[in-house]
Coordinates of all heavy atoms in Angstrom, one line a residue:
Chain B
R43 N 2.4 -8.8 14.1 CA 3.3 -8.6 15.3 C 4.1 -9.8 15.6 O 3.7 -10.9 15.2 CB 2.4 -8.2 16.5 CG 1.6 -9.4 17.1 CD 0.6 -8.9 18.1 NE 0.1 -10.1 18.9 CZ -0.8 -10.9 18.4 NH1 -1.3 -10.8 17.2 NH2 -1.2 -11.9 19.2
F52 N -1.4 -24.9 22.0 CA -2.0 -24.5 23.2 C -2.3 -23.0 23.3 O -3.1 -22.5 24.0 CB -1.1 -24.9 24.4 CG -1.0 -26.4 24.6 CD1 0.1 -27.1 24.4 CD2 -2.2 -27.1 25.0 CE1 0.2 -28.4 24.6 CE2 -2.1 -28.4 25.2 CZ -0.9 -29.1 24.9
H53 N -1.5 -22.2 22.5 CA -1.7 -20.8 22.5 C -3.0 -20.4 21.7 O -3.4 -19.3 21.8 CB -0.6 -20.1 21.8 CG 0.7 -20.0 22.6 ND1 1.5 -21.0 22.7 CD2 1.1 -19.0 23.4 CE1 2.5 -20.7 23.5 NE2 2.3 -19.5 24.0
T54 N -3.6 -21.4 21.1 CA -4.9 -21.1 20.3 C -6.1 -21.2 21.2 O -7.2 -20.9 20.8 CB -5.1 -22.0 19.1 OG1 -5.2 -23.3 19.6 CG2 -3.9 -21.9 18.2
L55 N -5.9 -21.6 22.5 CA -7.1 -21.8 23.3 C -7.8 -20.5 23.7 O -9.0 -20.5 23.8 CB -6.6 -22.5 24.6 CG -6.4 -24.0 24.5 CD1 -5.7 -24.6 25.7 CD2 -7.7 -24.8 24.2
G56 N -7.0 -19.4 23.8 CA -7.6 -18.1 24.0 C -8.5 -17.7 22.9 O -9.7 -17.3 23.0
S57 N -8.0 -17.9 21.6 CA -8.8 -17.5 20.5 C -10.0 -18.4 20.3 O -11.1 -18.0 19.9 CB -8.0 -17.6 19.2 OG -6.7 -17.1 19.4
A58 N -9.8 -19.7 20.7 CA -11.0 -20.6 20.7 C -12.0 -20.2 21.7 O -13.2 -20.2 21.3 CB -10.5 -22.1 21.1
T59 N -11.7 -19.7 22.9 CA -12.6 -19.2 23.8 C -13.3 -18.0 23.2 O -14.6 -17.9 23.3 CB -11.9 -18.8 25.1 OG1 -11.0 -19.8 25.5 CG2 -12.9 -18.6 26.2
L60 N -12.6 -17.1 22.6 CA -13.2 -15.9 22.0 C -14.2 -16.3 20.9 O -15.3 -15.8 20.9 CB -12.1 -15.1 21.3 CG -12.5 -13.9 20.6 CD1 -13.2 -12.9 21.5 CD2 -11.3 -13.2 19.9
T61 N -13.8 -17.3 20.1 CA -14.8 -17.8 19.1 C -16.0 -18.3 19.7 O -17.1 -18.0 19.2 CB -14.1 -18.9 18.2 OG1 -12.8 -18.4 17.8 CG2 -15.0 -19.3 17.0
F63 N -17.3 -17.5 22.5 CA -18.1 -16.4 23.0 C -18.9 -15.7 21.8 O -20.0 -15.3 22.0 CB -17.3 -15.4 23.7 CG -18.0 -14.2 24.2 CD1 -18.9 -14.3 25.2 CD2 -17.9 -13.0 23.6 CE1 -19.7 -13.3 25.6 CE2 -18.6 -11.9 24.0 CZ -19.5 -12.0 25.0
F112 N -18.0 -22.9 25.9 CA -17.3 -21.6 26.3 C -16.7 -21.7 27.6 O -15.5 -21.3 27.8 CB -18.4 -20.5 26.2 CG -18.0 -19.2 26.8 CD1 -16.9 -18.5 26.3 CD2 -18.6 -18.6 27.9 CE1 -16.5 -17.3 26.8 CE2 -18.2 -17.4 28.4 CZ -17.2 -16.7 27.9
M116 N -12.7 -21.8 28.5 CA -12.1 -20.8 29.4 C -11.2 -21.5 30.4 O -10.1 -21.0 30.7 CB -13.3 -20.0 30.1 CG -13.0 -18.6 30.1 SD -14.3 -17.5 30.7 CE -15.7 -18.4 31.2
F117 N -11.7 -22.6 31.0 CA -10.8 -23.3 31.9 C -9.6 -23.9 31.3 O -8.5 -23.8 31.9 CB -11.7 -24.4 32.6 CG -12.4 -24.0 33.8 CD1 -13.8 -23.7 33.7 CD2 -11.8 -23.7 35.0 CE1 -14.5 -23.2 34.8 CE2 -12.5 -23.2 36.1 CZ -13.8 -23.0 36.0
H119 N -8.0 -22.7 28.7 CA -7.2 -21.6 28.4 C -6.5 -21.1 29.7 O -5.3 -20.9 29.7 CB -8.0 -20.4 27.8 CG -7.3 -19.1 27.8 ND1 -6.1 -18.9 27.1 CD2 -7.7 -17.9 28.3 CE1 -5.8 -17.6 27.2 NE2 -6.7 -17.0 27.9
M120 N -7.2 -21.1 30.8 CA -6.6 -20.7 32.1 C -5.6 -21.7 32.5 O -4.5 -21.3 33.0 CB -7.7 -20.6 33.1 CG -7.3 -20.1 34.4 SD -8.6 -19.6 35.5 CE -9.1 -21.2 36.2
R122 N -3.7 -23.6 30.5 CA -2.5 -23.4 29.7 C -1.7 -22.2 30.2 O -0.5 -22.2 30.4 CB -2.8 -23.3 28.3 CG -2.7 -22.0 27.6 CD -1.4 -21.7 27.0 NE -1.4 -20.3 26.4 CZ -0.7 -19.3 26.7 NH1 0.3 -19.4 27.6 NH2 -0.9 -18.1 26.1
V123 N -2.4 -21.1 30.6 CA -1.7 -19.9 31.1 C -1.0 -20.2 32.4 O 0.1 -19.8 32.6 CB -2.8 -18.7 31.3 CG1 -2.1 -17.6 32.1 CG2 -3.2 -18.2 29.9
A128 N 2.4 -18.2 32.3 CA 2.2 -17.0 31.5 C 1.6 -15.9 32.3 O 1.4 -14.8 31.8 CB 1.4 -17.3 30.3
Y129 N 1.2 -16.2 33.6 CA 0.5 -15.1 34.4 C 1.6 -14.3 35.1 O 1.2 -13.3 35.8 CB -0.3 -15.8 35.5 CG 0.5 -16.9 36.3 CD1 1.2 -16.5 37.3 CD2 0.5 -18.2 35.9 CE1 2.0 -17.4 38.0 CE2 1.2 -19.1 36.5 CZ 2.0 -18.7 37.6 OH 2.8 -19.6 38.3
R133 N 2.4 -9.9 33.2 CA 1.1 -10.2 32.8 C 0.1 -10.5 33.9 O -1.0 -11.0 33.7 CB 1.1 -11.4 31.8 CG 2.0 -11.2 30.6 CD 1.9 -12.3 29.6 NE 2.8 -12.0 28.5 CZ 4.1 -12.0 28.5 NH1 4.7 -12.5 29.6 NH2 4.8 -11.7 27.4
E134 N 0.5 -10.1 35.1 CA -0.5 -10.3 36.3 C -1.8 -9.7 36.0 O -2.8 -10.3 36.3 CB 0.1 -9.8 37.6 CG 1.5 -10.3 38.0 CD 2.6 -9.4 37.6 OE1 2.5 -8.8 36.4 OE2 3.5 -9.2 38.3
N136 N -3.4 -9.2 33.3 CA -4.2 -9.9 32.4 C -4.8 -11.1 33.1 O -5.9 -11.6 32.7 CB -3.4 -10.3 31.2 CG -4.2 -10.1 29.9 OD1 -5.2 -9.4 29.9 ND2 -3.7 -10.6 28.8
W137 N -4.1 -11.7 34.0 CA -4.6 -12.8 34.8 C -5.8 -12.3 35.6 O -6.9 -13.0 35.6 CB -3.5 -13.4 35.7 CG -4.1 -14.5 36.6 CD1 -4.6 -14.4 37.8 CD2 -4.1 -15.9 36.3 NE1 -5.0 -15.6 38.3 CE2 -4.7 -16.5 37.4 CE3 -3.8 -16.7 35.1 CZ2 -4.9 -17.9 37.4 CZ3 -4.0 -18.0 35.2 CH2 -4.6 -18.6 36.3
I138 N -5.7 -11.2 36.2 CA -6.7 -10.6 37.0 C -8.0 -10.3 36.1 O -9.1 -10.7 36.5 CB -6.3 -9.3 37.7 CG1 -5.2 -9.7 38.8 CG2 -7.5 -8.6 38.3 CD1 -4.5 -8.5 39.3
I139 N -7.8 -9.8 34.9 CA -8.9 -9.5 34.0 C -9.5 -10.9 33.7 O -10.7 -11.0 33.6 CB -8.4 -8.8 32.8 CG1 -8.0 -7.4 33.2 CG2 -9.6 -8.7 31.7 CD1 -7.3 -6.6 32.0
G140 N -8.6 -11.9 33.5 CA -9.1 -13.2 33.2 C -10.0 -13.8 34.2 O -11.0 -14.4 34.0
V141 N -9.6 -13.6 35.5 CA -10.4 -14.1 36.6 C -11.8 -13.4 36.6 O -12.8 -14.1 36.8 CB -9.7 -13.8 38.0 CG1 -10.6 -14.1 39.1 CG2 -8.5 -14.7 38.0
M142 N -11.8 -12.1 36.3 CA -13.1 -11.4 36.2 C -13.9 -12.0 35.0 O -15.1 -12.2 35.2 CB -12.9 -9.9 35.9 CG -12.3 -9.2 37.0 SD -12.1 -7.5 36.5 CE -11.1 -6.8 37.8
L143 N -13.3 -12.3 33.9 CA -14.0 -12.9 32.8 C -14.6 -14.2 33.2 O -15.7 -14.6 32.9 CB -13.1 -13.1 31.6 CG -12.9 -11.8 30.7 CD1 -11.7 -12.0 29.8 CD2 -14.2 -11.6 30.0
L144 N -13.8 -15.0 34.0 CA -14.3 -16.3 34.4 C -15.5 -16.1 35.3 O -16.5 -16.8 35.1 CB -13.2 -17.0 35.2 CG -13.4 -18.4 35.6 CD1 -13.4 -19.3 34.4 CD2 -12.3 -19.0 36.5
I214 N -18.6 -8.4 29.3 CA -17.7 -9.4 28.8 C -17.0 -8.9 27.6 O -15.7 -9.0 27.5 CB -18.4 -10.8 28.5 CG1 -18.9 -11.4 29.7 CG2 -17.4 -11.7 27.7 CD1 -19.6 -12.8 29.5
I218 N -13.0 -8.4 27.4 CA -12.2 -9.1 26.3 C -11.4 -8.1 25.6 O -10.2 -8.3 25.3 CB -13.1 -9.9 25.4 CG1 -13.7 -11.1 26.0 CG2 -12.4 -10.3 24.1 CD1 -14.6 -11.9 25.2
H221 N -8.5 -7.4 27.7 CA -7.6 -8.6 27.7 C -6.8 -8.7 26.5 O -5.6 -8.8 26.6 CB -8.6 -9.8 27.8 CG -8.0 -11.0 28.3 ND1 -7.6 -11.3 29.6 CD2 -7.8 -12.2 27.6 CE1 -7.1 -12.5 29.7 NE2 -7.2 -13.1 28.5
L222 N -7.4 -8.4 25.3 CA -6.7 -8.6 24.1 C -5.7 -7.4 23.9 O -4.6 -7.6 23.4 CB -7.6 -8.6 22.9 CG -8.5 -9.9 22.9 CD1 -9.3 -10.0 21.6 CD2 -7.6 -11.2 23.0
V225 N -2.8 -8.5 25.7 CA -2.1 -9.6 25.0 C -1.2 -9.0 23.9 O -0.1 -9.3 23.7 CB -3.1 -10.6 24.4 CG1 -2.4 -11.5 23.4 CG2 -3.7 -11.4 25.5
L228 N 1.7 -6.7 25.4 CA 2.8 -7.5 26.1 C 3.3 -8.6 25.3 O 4.4 -9.1 25.6 CB 2.3 -8.0 27.5 CG 1.7 -6.9 28.4 CD1 1.1 -7.6 29.7 CD2 2.7 -5.9 28.8
G229 N 2.7 -9.0 24.3 CA 3.1 -10.2 23.5 C 2.8 -11.5 24.3 O 2.5 -11.5 25.5
V230 N 2.8 -12.6 23.6 CA 2.6 -13.9 24.3 C 3.9 -14.5 24.7 O 4.9 -14.3 24.2 CB 1.8 -14.9 23.4 CG1 0.3 -14.4 23.2 CG2 2.4 -15.1 22.1
T231 N 3.7 -15.4 25.7 CA 4.9 -16.1 26.3 C 5.2 -17.3 25.5 O 4.3 -18.0 25.1 CB 4.6 -16.5 27.7 OG1 3.4 -15.9 28.1 CG2 5.7 -16.2 28.6
S232 N 6.5 -17.6 25.4 CA 6.8 -18.9 24.8 C 6.7 -20.0 25.9 O 6.6 -19.7 27.1 CB 8.2 -18.9 24.3 OG 9.1 -18.4 25.2
Ligands
LIG401 C1 -13.9 -14.8 27.8 C2 -12.8 -15.5 28.1 C3 -11.4 -15.3 27.6 C4 -11.0 -15.0 26.3 C5 -11.9 -14.7 25.1 C6 -9.6 -14.9 26.3 C7 -8.7 -14.7 25.2 C8 -7.4 -14.7 25.2 C9 -6.5 -14.7 24.1 C10 -7.0 -14.7 22.6 C11 -5.2 -14.7 24.5 C12 -3.9 -14.8 23.6 C13 -3.0 -15.9 23.9 C14 -3.6 -17.2 24.1 O1 -4.6 -17.5 23.4 O2 -3.2 -18.0 24.9 C15 -5.2 -14.6 26.0 C16 -4.1 -14.6 26.8 C17 -4.1 -14.6 28.2 N1 -5.2 -14.9 29.0 FE1 -7.1 -15.0 28.3 N2 -9.1 -15.2 27.6 C18 -10.2 -15.4 28.4 C19 -10.2 -15.8 29.8 C20 -9.1 -15.9 30.6 C21 -9.0 -16.4 31.9 C22 -10.2 -17.0 32.7 C23 -7.7 -16.2 32.4 C24 -7.1 -16.6 33.7 C25 -7.7 -16.4 34.9 C26 -7.0 -15.6 31.3 C27 -5.6 -15.2 31.4 C28 -4.8 -14.9 30.3 C29 -3.4 -14.5 30.4 C30 -2.6 -14.3 31.7 C31 -3.0 -14.3 29.0 C32 -1.6 -14.0 28.6 C33 -0.9 -15.2 28.2 C34 0.4 -15.0 27.5 O3 0.7 -13.8 27.3 O4 1.0 -16.0 27.1 N3 -7.8 -15.4 30.2 N4 -6.6 -14.6 26.4

Side-chain angles (χ1 to χ4, degrees):
Chain B
R43 73 191 193 282
F52 292 112
H53 285 83
T54 62
L55 284 166
S57 322
T59 315
L60 177 63
T61 310
F63 177 70
F112 170 61
M116 223 171 4
F117 274 103
H119 168 57
M120 187 166 80
R122 107 91 180 121
V123 168
Y129 53 84
R133 298 184 181 79
E134 302 97 320
N136 223 13
W137 177 269
I138 292 168
I139 294 173
V141 169
M142 293 180 190
L143 277 168
L144 187 67
I214 293 183
I218 287 181
H221 198 68
L222 293 187
V225 167
L228 304 176
V230 288
T231 345
S232 50

